[in-house]
Amino acid sequence: MPLPESWFAEIDIPAALESTWREARVRLDEGLESSAGDGSILDSWLSLEPTRREELARVVVLSDFALDALATRPALLPVLLDSGELETAPSRAQIEETLRERLAEADSEETLHRALRRFRQARMLGIVWRDLNGADMWQTAGKVSELAEVCLDGALGWLETHLAPRWGMPAPRADGMAQRLIVLGMGKLGAGELNLSSDIDLIFGFAEKGTTQGGEREYEHQQYFTKLGQKLIAALDAITADGFVFRVDMRLRPMGDGGPLVGNFNALTGYYQDQGREWERFAMLKARPVAGDLNAGRQLLDLLSPFIYRKYLDFGAIESLREMKAMIHREVKRLGRDDNIKLGRGGIREVEFVVQAFQLIRGGRDTELQIPSLRDAMKQLVSLELLPQPVVDELRGDYEFLRNLEHALQAQQDRQTQQLPSDSENQARLAMAMRMPDWTSLREALHQCRERIRGHFDAVVADPDDESQTADDESSEGDAVWHQLWHGEMDDAEAERVMAAAGYDLPEALRRLKAFRDSRGVQAMQRIGYERLEAVMPMLLQAAADSETPTTALERVLPLIEAVLRRTAYLSLLRENPQVLPSLIRLCAASPWIAEQLARHPILLDELLTPATLYSPADKQRLADELRQTLARIPEDDEEGWLEAMRVFKQTQVLRVAASDIAGGRVLMKVSDYLTAIAEVVLDSVLQMAWRSLTARFGQPKPRDGSDEAAFLVVGYGKLGGIELGYGSDLDLVFLYDAAPRGVTDGAKSIDNLMFFTRLGQRIIHLLSVTTPSGTLYEVDMRLRPSGNAGLLVSSLQAFAEYQRKDAWIWEHQALVRARAVAGDRALGERFEAVRREVLGRERECDELRREVVRMRLKMREHLGSGGDAREAGQFHLKQDAGGLVDIEFMNQYAVLALSARTPELLEVTDNMRLMDALAESGTLSEQDARDLQAAYLAYRDASHRASLAKRGSLVSSEGFADHREHILTLWQRWMDPEAESETNDQ
C-alpha cells in the first residue's frame, strides 16, 4: 500500500528537488510493499506525526544512505521511533547494551559481521536523521566517534572470547596486570570528532612480550596480537552484503603499510625515539586509547609524550606545518581539487593547522594543550592568551560551518568526500541541508568563510615567501657563490675554500666538477639547454653540500646530468621543482645502484615529483591495477610499446621500493614482499601477452579429456618461490601444462600441443629477457626444470610428477621445497601443489638424505665460497661460506624432506622464515634456536640488500656476523654432521 498523497501535502520541498522527492517516495512505497506481511510496520509509518513526516521527507531527499536503509529495512523506523532515537541520541551505556545483546547471539565470525553491520546501520540512520534535522555538529561528531569506539570494543571482546579456546589469552604483565590489545584512535577518532562517513585511523599495541596461555597452542604475543588485530580490522572494514561498519586505516602506525601491524611498548617507544618523523608528531597529537586495554594505552601515550611535545618552545614546528600545507596545496592544485572543503584554501585542514601549531610549539610547556580534541584545544588558546576570544570564536564558527557542510556531503551516500558537487541536483541538496535559499547563496557564504579562515591561517602559519628580506638576501648570496664557482669565475684556491667549507672532499670534488664543466657534452649544448643547466647546477651544488656526503652525492648525480644534457626537459624538471633535488641527492648518495638506474633511465625522475608514491610502494592489487591501466593505453599489436611500458613500470616500482627502503620506511621482509609482488604481476601480464600472441596464430590447444580448456602454469623456484626476491634477482622458473597428450590447436594453422606450449614458454622467456631502450624485465633461469638444460622447456604436469617421483635428484627435491605457482591457471596450480606435497612428504631414510644434502653443501662451499685469501683478510661470503645463508636454507630443506611425512605443516609454506616458525611450532627446533636462525637469516638478507643497493658483492667483514655464524654452525653440527648424530644416538 503506498503512502497516502495527502500525507505530505503540506511539506515544502524546493522545486529543484521535486523529482528527487518523487523517486524517494517510490522507493519507500516499494520497501513498504515488500514488508506487507508485517502490518505493524505499515501502521507505525502511517501513524507518524506531521513533524515526523517533514523530518522523514527532509532525510530521504538529502540522504541516499538513509533512503536505502529505510527502503530495504522499513522496520528500522518503528524501532527508532519507539526508542526515541530520532529525537534524542541514546547514551553510550544504551548503545553498548544494545550491541552486547546483538553480539550475544553471534556464534561465528560471519554472524558477528552481520550483527555489527546491521547495528551500525540503525545507529547511523538515527545520527543522520538528527543531523539533517538540526542536531549540533559537535554532537553528531561525538556520537559517530562513540559508535566507532563501541563497535571496536564490542568486536574486540567478542573475538577474544571466541578465539580463546584455540589461541589462548596473553600472559599477564610482569606487574601481574592482564594484557589486552591496545587500540589507539588517531585523527578525528582520537579527537572524538569523527565526520559522518570517516575512515578510522588506528594504531595497535601491546605492553610486553610473552606467549599465550590456555589455548590449544601457544602463540608469541606479537603473533597473537597481529592475528587478533587482523580479525578486528576484518570485522569492521570488510564489505559484505550488509555493507561495512567503519573503513579502517592503519597507515599511521610505525613504518606505515610496511611495518608490523602491532608493536609492544619497547618497540613503539624505540621507534618514535629513534626514527619518528615530524609528521608523526602531528599524527600523535590526536592519539587516544579507544578500545581494548585503555589503561595500558594511556601508559603508552605517557611514554610517547616526550616525542610529541618538546620541553622547549619548538618554533621549528611552524616550518613543518608550512611544508605540509605546501604539499597539500600542490596536490590539490595538481588534482584540480580547489573545491575540496577540507584540503583547499581556507578549508578544514587550515583551522586544524592553526590549533596544532600552538600545540606543538607550546605543548611541552603549556600542558593544557596536550589534548586531542580540537574544540577543547581552541578553548585553551583563549585561556592561555595565545589567541584573542574574537579570533577563536570566528575560527570555531567557520569550522562548524565547514563541518556541517562536510556532514551534509557525506550523508548523501555514506561516502568519505569533501569535494563540492558539480551537478545541480546535489548542489540543491547541499543548499537545502545547510538551510540556504539556493546554491548561489551557499557558495557566497562558503567563500566568505574560507577567506576568514585563510586570513587567520596566514597570521599564524605564514607562507615561506613572506620571510624577511635578510633571509632572501642570504639565500641569493649563497646562490651567487655557487653560480660563480660553476662558471669558473673563482681561482682554484678560492674555489677549494668554498667547497671545503661546504664539506666537499678536495681536490677530488673540484676536479670532477671542472671535468664535467669542460666536457664535450656540456660545451656542445644548445643555448636554451645550457641556460637550463646554468640554473640547475648552483642548486645541485648546494643540495649536494647539504647532504651528509657531498662528494659522493656529486660523483653519483653528475652521470645523470650528463645523461640528460641532450634531453633538457629533465633539467627543466629539476629547475621548476626544487623539492626534487634533495630527494635525488639523498637517493643517489645512499645507493650507487639507484644513481645508475636513474642515469640509465632518466624517465624515472618523474617519480621524484610525487613523494607520496615514491616512498609508498603499491601492494599487489594496486600494482596489477596500475599495470592494467598502463597497458590499456597501448594497442595490443604494438609489442615494442608494450615492452617499453612494461620495463618502465617494473623499474618505477622497484625504484619506489628502493627509495622507501633507503628512507627507512620498509622492513626487510616487506622489501622482498614488494619485489616479489612486482615480479608476479609482471609474469602474469607477460603470460597473458604471450598466450594472446600464440592463440592468435595457432588457435587454442586441445584440452585433456574431461577438461574444458588446456591450462598453463608458471612455477617459481628459489627466491621467487620463497617470496624473497632482492634487487636485481633473476627468476628461477619451471613451465607446466595440462592438455591432450596428442592434441593439436584448433586454429587455421594448427600445431601439436607440445609445440604450442614450447613456443609459449619461449615467448615468455623472450618477453622477459629481451633488451629494449629501457633495459630488460628479468633474467630467467630455467635450469631447475626436469633434467635441467637437457630437458624439455615445458613439461606436462603428469610428466613432471613422474620425474619427481622416480628420477629427480635429492637437490631437485630440495629446490622443490621453495617452489610455488606464481602465474597461470589456478586449478593447475592446486594440482601442482598436490604433487609437490606428495613428493616432499614421502618417507625418507634420514641418514642417506643427510649425507646427500651435506655432500652437496660442501661441494658448493668449495666452489662458491670466499676462498682462503678472503678468509685470511677477515672476509665472509654471506651466502656460501660455512655459517652463511645457504646453510640455513639447506637445513630447512633437509628438515622438510626428512620430517614432513610426520609433520605436514612444513609443506604449507615456501619461505625460510615461516619454515623456521613451523619447525619451532612442531618442536623440531627449540624456540631459541628458531629465533637465532631467523635473526641470522634476516641479518644476512638485510646485508645482501644493502650490498645490492651499494653495488657490492656478497663478501663482507666477518667481524659483524660472528655470533650468527656460531649459532648456525652449532646447529649444523647438531643436525647435519652424521658422526655427531651417531654419537648422540649412542648416548
Side-chain angles (χ1 to χ4, degrees):
M1 171 183 173
L3 296 172
E5 191 68 29
S6 60
W7 211 55
F8 298 103
E10 301 299 319
I11 293 176
D12 184 22
I13 299 294
L17 295 174
E18 286 180 359
S19 63
T20 306
W21 172 223
R22 285 195 300 270
E23 291 169 7
R25 292 273 305 277
V26 171
R27 288 286 312 279
L28 293 177
D29 288 339
E30 290 172 348
L32 287 168
E33 184 71 22
S34 67
S35 62
D38 188 345
S40 62
I41 294 177
L42 183 59
D43 291 341
S44 294
W45 280 72
L46 293 176
S47 64
L48 282 176
E49 299 285 341
T51 302
R52 287 282 180 263
R53 297 174 195 170
E54 292 179 10
E55 293 174 354
L56 172 65
R58 182 176 176 82
V59 166
V60 297
V61 166
L62 297 178
S63 172
D64 294 340
F65 160 76
L67 175 59
D68 288 340
L70 289 168
T72 55
R73 296 176 63 192
L76 279 177
L77 187 61
V79 170
L80 297 178
L81 280 168
D82 291 342
S83 67
E85 201 165 336
L86 297 182
E87 188 169 79
T88 304
S91 68
R92 177 166 185 146
Q94 288 173 317
I95 65 170
E96 284 176 335
E97 178 59 29
T98 302
L99 181 59
R100 193 160 34 245
E101 292 172 359
R102 302 290 185 274
L103 297 187
E105 300 170 3
D107 56 4
S108 67
E109 288 184 53
E110 182 180 353
T111 52
L112 166 70
H113 289 197
R114 181 174 175 80
L116 284 168
R117 280 149 184 76
R118 293 176 73 84
F119 170 79
R120 181 262 187 189
Q121 185 186 47
R123 303 290 78 72
M124 282 300 299
L125 177 58
I127 292 171
V128 168
W129 185 295
R130 295 191 302 272
D131 184 76
L132 293 178
N133 283 291
D136 175 71
M137 182 280 291
W138 298 106
Q139 185 197 70
T140 296
K143 284 302 174 180
V144 178
S145 303
E146 189 177 85
L147 176 61
E149 293 175 47
V150 169
C151 289
L152 275 165
D153 207 49
L156 177 59
W158 187 95
L159 288 167
E160 288 170 329
T161 302
H162 180 71
L163 297 169
R166 283 184 288 154
W167 296 1
M169 295 297 288
R173 295 170 59 172
D175 60 5
M177 298 295 291
Q179 290 204 69
R180 294 183 69 199
L181 184 70
I182 298 166
V183 182
L184 295 182
M186 310 293 288
K188 287 187 171 65
L189 174 60
E193 297 162 357
L194 278 178
N195 53 49
L196 270 182
S197 186
S198 178
D199 294 356
I200 53 174
D201 297 291
L202 305 178
I203 290 178
F204 293 156
F206 64 98
E208 297 173 359
K209 294 181 179 180
T211 56
T212 59
Q213 302 172 350
E216 294 175 0
R217 55 170 291 184
E218 291 185 349
Y219 286 98
E220 292 287 334
H221 282 177
Q222 180 72 39
Q223 188 179 10
Y224 168 82
F225 284 116
T226 297
K227 289 161 69 73
L228 182 62
Q230 290 167 340
K231 294 280 191 184
L232 179 59
I233 292 170
L236 300 178
D237 185 89
I239 298 176
T240 72
D242 296 297
F244 63 95
V245 186
F246 284 94
R247 293 173 292 264
V248 178
D249 191 336
M250 300 297 299
R251 290 176 295 178
L252 292 181
R253 71 184 189 270
M255 294 182 286
D257 285 341
L261 188 66
V262 298
N264 62 49
F265 277 16
N266 289 339
L268 291 170
T269 54
Y271 169 84
Y272 286 111
Q273 178 179 338
D274 300 332
Q275 303 178 50
R277 289 158 288 184
E278 197 68 13
W279 69 263
E280 289 176 298
R281 289 181 63 203
F282 291 94
M284 295 303 294
L285 279 174
K286 293 182 179 296
R288 178 174 63 92
V290 294
D293 195 335
L294 300 181
N295 287 331
R298 285 186 278 269
Q299 293 173 16
L300 174 60
L301 289 179
D302 287 343
L303 293 172
L304 297 179
S305 181
F307 163 72
I308 308 168
Y309 300 102
R310 305 293 192 243
K311 292 299 181 185
Y312 49 86
L313 294 181
D314 182 19
F315 285 98
I318 286 282
E319 188 58 38
S320 298
L321 278 168
R322 290 174 185 145
E323 292 171 2
M324 289 175 64
K325 181 57 187 172
M327 181 181 69
I328 292 170
H329 176 70
R330 287 193 297 271
E331 185 73 1
V332 168
K333 189 173 182 180
R334 183 177 70 85
L335 298 175
R337 292 180 176 172
D338 291 332
D339 273 344
N340 188 298
I341 61 171
K342 176 181 179 181
L343 302 179
R345 173 185 173 88
I348 292 169
R349 182 57 55 83
E350 290 192 359
V351 179
E352 294 170 345
F353 276 6
V354 168
V355 178
Q356 289 173 336
F358 288 106
Q359 287 183 287
L360 285 174
I361 292 169
R362 298 180 173 273
R365 289 190 177 182
D366 299 325
T367 56
E368 301 93 327
L369 292 171
Q370 295 184 14
I371 43 179
S373 164
L374 182 82
R375 178 169 60 166
D376 293 343
M378 281 183 170
K379 295 175 183 176
Q380 294 300 329
L381 294 180
V382 175
S383 63
L384 292 169
E385 299 182 354
L386 298 175
L387 282 178
Q389 184 74 57
V391 169
V392 171
D393 288 344
E394 195 165 84
L395 274 174
R396 183 170 54 235
D398 287 336
Y399 181 77
E400 290 171 0
F401 178 87
L402 290 177
R403 290 294 306 276
N404 276 319
L405 184 57
E406 179 186 51
H407 285 172
L409 264 171
Q410 297 180 352
Q412 289 180 1
Q413 296 176 340
D414 195 15
R415 185 168 64 89
Q416 186 180 29
T417 181
Q418 288 87 18
Q419 192 74 19
L420 293 175
S422 56
D423 62 292
S424 59
E425 179 184 3
N426 283 317
Q427 289 174 350
R429 293 168 92 186
L430 278 188
M432 179 180 175
M434 296 296 290
R435 302 183 187 278
M436 293 281 182
D438 51 38
W439 174 247
T440 302
S441 301
L442 175 57
R443 283 304 298 247
E444 178 57 27
L446 177 60
H447 173 74
Q448 294 175 9
C449 165
R450 294 174 73 169
E451 286 300 307
R452 287 191 296 269
I453 290 172
R454 172 45 68 108
H456 295 308
F457 175 81
D458 285 344
V460 175
V461 189
D463 191 275
D465 292 338
D466 296 334
E467 296 293 328
S468 69
Q469 187 63 44
T470 301
D472 289 339
D473 291 345
E474 291 174 356
S475 176
S476 299
E477 182 181 343
D479 290 343
V481 169
W482 292 117
H483 185 87
Q484 292 168 6
L485 188 148
W486 164 246
H487 278 277
E489 296 171 2
M490 300 177 179
D491 59 34
D492 284 355
E494 178 65 7
E496 288 186 358
R497 185 192 67 77
V498 169
M499 295 193 80
Y504 285 99
D505 298 330
L506 296 171
E508 295 87 354
L510 182 57
R511 186 186 304 125
R512 179 69 179 92
L513 183 63
K514 291 170 68 176
F516 170 66
R517 185 183 63 208
D518 298 334
S519 67
R520 181 178 299 176
V522 171
Q523 297 303 315
M525 292 183 75
Q526 299 292 324
R527 180 184 60 81
I528 188 170
Y530 190 75
E531 288 175 355
R532 291 174 177 175
L533 182 66
E534 275 189 314
V536 166
M537 286 307 298
M539 297 166 58
L540 187 149
L541 290 168
Q542 180 62 62
D546 291 339
S547 72
E548 295 182 2
T549 54
T551 303
T552 299
L554 183 65
E555 280 280 353
R556 292 178 181 171
V557 171
L558 283 180
L560 166 62
I561 303 300
E562 289 171 336
V564 301
L565 288 179
R566 301 182 70 175
R567 290 180 282 177
T568 58
Y570 289 112
L571 295 176
S572 293
L573 182 154
L574 295 173
R575 174 66 184 90
E576 299 300 326
N577 298 276
Q579 79 278 8
V580 167
L581 267 175
S583 291
L584 175 64
I585 293 293
R586 181 170 61 253
L587 293 174
C588 291
S591 169
W593 181 85
I594 289 182
E596 184 178 281
Q597 292 296 306
L598 290 168
R600 285 183 180 176
H601 315 295
I603 192 173
L604 297 177
L605 280 173
D606 292 348
E607 285 300 300
L608 275 63
L609 289 170
T610 51
T613 54
L614 176 64
Y615 296 103
S616 300
D619 59 24
K620 187 174 180 180
Q621 184 59 54
R622 283 172 52 205
L623 283 170
D625 292 342
E626 188 172 331
L627 181 56
R628 191 181 306 111
Q629 293 168 12
T630 298
L631 298 180
R633 305 184 188 104
I634 301 171
E636 285 190 6
D637 58 353
D638 182 6
E639 181 174 305
E640 183 177 346
W642 186 91
L643 284 170
E644 186 72 4
M646 284 287 289
R647 279 146 184 77
V648 171
F649 169 81
K650 183 248 184 172
Q651 290 155 0
T652 295
Q653 302 304 331
V654 172
L655 175 64
R656 291 178 182 177
V657 175
S660 67
D661 190 6
I662 286 171
R666 292 290 173 265
V667 294
L668 170 68
M669 301 301 292
K670 275 293 183 183
V671 169
S672 289
D673 287 350
Y674 281 122
L675 294 174
T676 303
I678 293 168
E680 290 178 5
V681 168
V682 167
L683 276 168
D684 190 62
S685 188
V686 164
L687 172 56
Q688 292 178 40
M689 175 71 169
W691 184 273
R692 284 197 303 269
S693 174
L694 266 291
T695 54
R697 291 178 61 194
F698 305 115
Q700 298 285 340
K702 184 177 180 180
R704 178 173 46 83
D705 289 345
S707 297
D708 294 332
E709 56 186 21
F712 187 80
L713 185 69
V714 180
V715 177
Y717 276 68
K719 291 180 180 177
L720 175 60
I723 321 175
E724 296 167 354
L725 281 185
Y727 302 106
S729 293
D730 59 8
L731 303 183
D732 293 297
L733 303 179
V734 168
F735 298 145
L736 302 177
Y737 70 91
D738 182 42
R742 295 180 180 83
V744 296
T745 61
D746 62 5
K749 182 181 179 181
S750 64
I751 56 176
D752 67 70
N753 281 352
L754 178 58
M755 177 63 71
F756 175 89
F757 287 112
T758 299
R759 291 192 179 185
L760 179 64
Q762 292 169 339
R763 185 77 178 143
I764 290 170
I765 294 171
H766 169 77
L767 293 173
L768 288 170
S769 57
V770 67
T771 301
T772 73
S774 294
T776 61
L777 278 172
Y778 289 97
E779 295 297 327
V780 177
D781 191 336
M782 299 294 298
R783 290 174 294 177
L784 291 176
R785 68 185 188 268
S787 301
N789 287 338
L792 295 173
L793 185 64
V794 298
S795 300
S796 69
L797 179 63
Q798 182 179 358
F800 175 84
E802 286 300 303
Y803 178 84
Q804 292 293 338
R805 291 168 184 144
K806 298 177 180 178
D807 300 319
W809 298 79
I810 290 295
W811 67 264
E812 290 179 286
H813 287 174
Q814 287 180 248
L816 194 61
V817 169
R818 303 181 75 193
R820 66 186 178 90
V822 294
D825 186 79
R826 181 174 297 180
L828 185 55
E830 293 172 355
R831 292 172 57 203
F832 160 77
E833 179 60 22
V835 171
R836 174 181 174 273
R837 286 169 172 269
E838 174 207 330
V839 171
L840 297 180
R842 71 190 187 193
E843 291 282 356
R844 289 178 171 82
E845 203 285 307
C846 289
D847 288 343
E848 178 61 26
L849 172 65
R850 185 187 295 108
R851 281 191 290 272
E852 282 297 311
V853 173
V854 170
R855 184 184 65 79
M856 176 61 69
R857 180 68 189 108
L858 294 178
K859 185 177 180 180
M860 292 175 67
R861 287 182 188 170
E862 179 182 347
H863 290 283
L864 301 174
S866 60
D869 292 343
R871 287 193 290 272
E872 288 179 11
Q875 290 184 304
F876 164 57
H877 196 289
L878 283 168
K879 298 179 181 178
Q880 297 294 348
D881 277 351
L885 198 68
V886 179
D887 279 358
I888 299 176
E889 293 176 348
F890 267 54
M891 285 190 285
N892 277 344
Q893 292 160 11
Y894 165 76
V896 172
L897 295 176
L899 304 175
S900 55
R902 300 184 301 279
T903 314
E905 306 92 83
L906 298 177
L907 302 176
E908 298 291 334
V909 294
T910 60
D911 62 287
N912 284 292
M913 289 295 289
R914 287 190 294 171
L915 271 175
M916 287 182 267
D917 282 334
L919 289 170
E921 290 173 3
S922 67
T924 305
L925 271 181
S926 72
E927 191 71 28
Q928 188 58 51
D929 283 340
R931 299 294 84 84
D932 288 342
L933 276 183
Q934 288 179 324
Y937 191 72
L938 290 175
Y940 291 162
R941 284 190 55 209
D942 185 61
S944 181
H945 278 253
R946 303 278 81 75
S948 295
L949 289 173
K951 296 195 68 180
R952 298 191 301 267
S954 293
L955 280 176
V956 297
S957 171
S958 58
E959 184 176 338
F961 298 94
D963 289 344
H964 292 314
R965 296 185 71 187
E966 182 180 348
H967 289 311
I968 295 167
L969 290 172
T970 298
L971 198 58
W972 180 274
Q973 183 76 10
R974 191 188 317 156
W975 269 31
M976 307 305 292
D977 188 320
E979 294 181 4
E981 178 69 16
S982 175
E983 292 171 7
T984 301
N985 290 339
D986 291 342
Q987 294 173 2

